Amino acid sequence: MAEKPVAIADRLFRDLMAPLVVGGELRPGRPIGGKNALALGPFTDTIDKELLAHVDLGRVRVARRLAPVDRLAAPTAADWALAAVLHDLVQCAHPDLRVRPSSRLLQIATMTADRVAGPASVGEALARHAWFSRALEITRTDTEVSFWVGKRTFLGQDPPSRLLAWPDLRRVHVDKSPRPLLELPGAGGHVDAPTFGAGVSAWLKKTPLTDLATCVRAAPAFTWSQETLRLISTRAGRTLALRAQDNLVSLDVETALGRATKPLIAGRASEALAIVTALLGERTLAAVVERAERRTPEGDAPAEDAFVARAIGAFGATALLAANQGALRPELASAVRGQLEPWMQTAPAQTAKTLLGA
């Protein structure tokens, strides 16, 4: 008998969405599939009211790190669909799924993510991020138990108590290893790691603030998408993106954003590059102003990817200074221009100048 959408929503909320926000053990169950994922709707009237209240508070705490909000909208149909896709992505790497079913499930999850609408507004992007900000923190704890005659490994399961009995006599040693979500295909899963990464990337694109907030991840590599570009094309969206990256290592952010920007330059995508330049310009200007105020010198020239981001950022920062003359004290403005000028002579900055018609 087919599971009803209300029942799917109930277990999805209880076993994945709620613990993803407030913490606790995620308990993914039977795969949901694309058709069911896209059929889910606003079922908040049928789920646990007390748990929903805790989740709402947790989501507001996440959002308030980035913006002064007191309430967030209930999950939209797109939020439910993304939660269902994330559920199935986790299940794709389950060690008990055979190769063919898990690969097919991954294909369906990726195709379903592609069909989910991106956020229609900055507020919706923030609300969605409040659901999924910790998605890449999902881990499975694997346990290896060694004893006097051998060892056994339990993937995401607790070993039976009988195996742990008489630890001194049987020389029992327990080693627990947390496996992040993106490592699961290579830790007992049956799906190809790059294909799994592509599925996660397709999912991340639909929650662009989360995508930007995790841009320094090793895989899947951050790339500019229509959704992330749409978000940072607005003043409010850039502010959220910059705040979401505040707790990341600046050089790592520059490396990720520079790597993602190089294809825009190579493809002469001037419209997208103008949007990215505005974001990088604000990042660079804030960093240069801070250095100028503290009278600290700039560090050594970064590697290629970060070099591109810093050069494009210098171009954007120079444009911001020109458009807001008088915003800085004359002596501070002069010091800032002095730091930006060498970067303006670099090839990436000159290319941006040509492409953007400045």
Side-chain angles (χ1 to χ4, degrees), residues 89 92-93 99 102-103 106 110 180-202 218-221:
L89 284 172
C92 286
V99 175
S102 56
S103 298
L106 176 55
T110 303
L181 174 65
L182 293 167
E183 291 183 8
L184 295 184
H190 300 290
V191 290
D192 177 69
T195 307
F196 183 77
V200 174
S201 181

Side-chain angles (χ1 to χ4, degrees), residues 159-175:
S161 56
R162 58 178 175 76
L163 202 61
L164 306 178
W166 304 332
D168 293 332
L169 177 63
R170 297 174 57 246
R171 302 174 191 170
V172 176
H173 177 73
V174 179
D175 185 23

